[in-house]
Amino acid sequence: MGQSDSRLRITNSDGVAQVRFIDRNILDEANIQQIGDEITQVIEASPAPKILISFENVDHLSSAALGTLITINNKVRNKGGQLRLSNIDPQIYEVFVITKLHKLFEIHPTAEEALGSFRK
Amino acid sequence: MSEASGQPGAGSPGAEHGRSRLRNTREEIEAAENQALEAAARMGYPAASVFALRLALEEAMTNAFRHGHESLPDEPIDLEWSIGPARAEFTIEDRGPGFKPETVPDPTLDENLERPSGRGIMLMRAYMTDVRFNTRGNRVTMVYDRAAEDAKRRAAAD
């Protein structure tokens, strides 16, 4: 898998891996699998990963994508890390509310607020 | 394989219809989905309704391929749609053995919140007015009633 095939843009600042999506729609099963694999690599590369996933520009996501986020959350927690979500479009946030996943994830309106919420 | 027509259907004046036999490729799924959603846009469905229809269609087709065709990866599914000014209806049928939707655990219970799967059907029910499976459980029919959904949205906004 070459860098050019990545479905994500990942930047690091202040010990936090900031993940953004290239696709507006996170629906395709193969893409979702790849996104899960790429974020898992980030989790495995750090002893206590701090990860911010920003959903700016994301218009649609499926329950399979939610499933991958849950798996990522479990992996981060198992390593004693921290996961934050941010910039979720109101229509997509409603999907989190309907599924009650807004209770499982720590969600912030903006990336700045999410970055400020990480414990040292 | 895909066809669409603007012929009025029985009981649904002014509706557009389409029927597709789809293999599990993103291109085929999106082409059929876009035909239906473009019809909804032509009928004046607002963005929130189109979002709901897309979400329900995606979840139903994913279920058909992922679960219905778990052992039949090369088999196609059938999608039929009808979009009228007041009501949209989708039927998705797979060739698998079927399942019992009532056996899918409630994913919103605290003990199931961390399970990575099992949310598709509840999202279909949340975003559509009516969702019914046939007895075998290999065909789902979903209805979106604009008046009912508008009333739901107004009630939620109050």
Side-chain angles (χ1 to χ4, degrees):
Chain A
M1 186 172 67
Q3 191 62 35
S4 60
D5 296 321
S6 177
R7 314 307 318 167
L8 302 172
R9 286 200 184 87
I10 302 175
T11 53
N12 280 285
S13 65
D14 230 7
V16 177
Q18 207 170 328
V19 178
R20 294 181 190 84
F21 297 95
I22 289 169
D23 303 299
R24 299 191 79 87
N25 295 337
I26 306 173
L27 300 169
D28 179 58
E29 291 239 39
N31 281 358
I32 292 168
Q33 171 85 42
Q34 191 183 329
I35 286 165
D37 291 348
E38 286 187 51
I39 298 178
T40 296
Q41 285 176 20
V42 175
I43 296 168
E44 285 171 354
S46 166
K50 292 181 185 175
I51 299 179
L52 164 59
I53 303 179
S54 166
F55 288 80
E56 61 200 11
N57 304 323
V58 174
D59 293 332
H60 291 277
L61 58 79
S62 66
S63 65
L66 294 176
T68 293
L69 288 174
I70 292 168
T71 303
I72 289 165
N73 187 50
N74 292 340
K75 286 179 180 172
V76 169
R77 208 180 39 198
N78 288 343
K79 288 197 83 175
Q82 302 172 59
L83 176 69
R84 306 286 186 266
L85 311 183
S86 76
N87 300 77
I88 300 179
D89 165 89
Q91 278 186 326
I92 295 181
Y93 186 72
E94 197 186 339
V95 176
F96 280 81
V97 173
I98 288 168
T99 53
K100 302 219 167 110
L101 289 175
H102 66 310
K103 298 199 297 188
L104 186 69
F105 293 107
E106 190 170 328
I107 301 174
H108 294 270
T110 65
E112 291 69 31
E113 286 166 83
L115 285 170
S117 76
F118 282 98
R119 296 180 302 277
K120 293 290 176 198
Chain B
M1 191 174 74
S2 205
E3 55 185 83
S5 82
Q7 295 304 309
S12 192
E16 294 187 34
H17 306 270
R19 184 185 300 167
S20 309
R21 180 153 290 171
L22 304 170
R23 288 174 302 149
N24 192 8
T25 70
R26 198 67 222 156
E27 292 72 24
E28 291 196 16
I29 291 170
E30 270 182 16
E33 197 173 85
N34 286 340
Q35 264 189 350
L37 297 176
E38 282 161 17
R42 278 195 294 279
M43 302 272 173
Y45 283 58
S49 302
V50 176
F51 179 90
L53 297 180
R54 185 191 294 276
L55 185 143
L57 263 177
E58 282 287 339
E59 297 298 337
M61 290 196 279
T62 299
N63 276 349
F65 283 120
R66 187 196 253 195
H67 302 297
H69 286 185
E70 194 176 7
S71 322
L72 305 164
D74 300 323
E75 289 291 323
I77 63 166
D78 290 300
L79 164 69
E80 268 191 75
W81 55 266
S82 162
I83 312 247
R87 187 177 187 275
E89 182 170 330
F90 302 116
T91 300
I92 291 105
E93 180 165 356
D94 66 58
R95 296 166 186 210
F99 80 115
K100 300 259 173 275
E102 64 275 13
T103 62
V104 178
D106 180 351
T108 63
L109 295 178
D110 280 351
E111 63 263 35
N112 295 332
L113 223 45
E114 292 182 24
R115 290 168 68 123
S117 60
R119 289 177 181 77
I121 295 170
M122 79 137 321
L123 285 173
M124 286 152 59
R125 292 198 197 282
Y127 280 91
M128 299 296 281
T129 316
D130 188 42
V131 175
R132 283 167 207 250
F133 291 86
N134 64 345
T135 310
R136 177 169 144 192
N138 70 323
R139 186 176 69 232
V140 62
T141 301
M142 308 188 287
V143 172
Y144 188 92
D145 181 304
R146 277 182 77 181
E149 295 302 320
D150 285 352
K152 239 199 265 181
R153 260 208 309 280
R154 274 198 304 274
D158 283 343

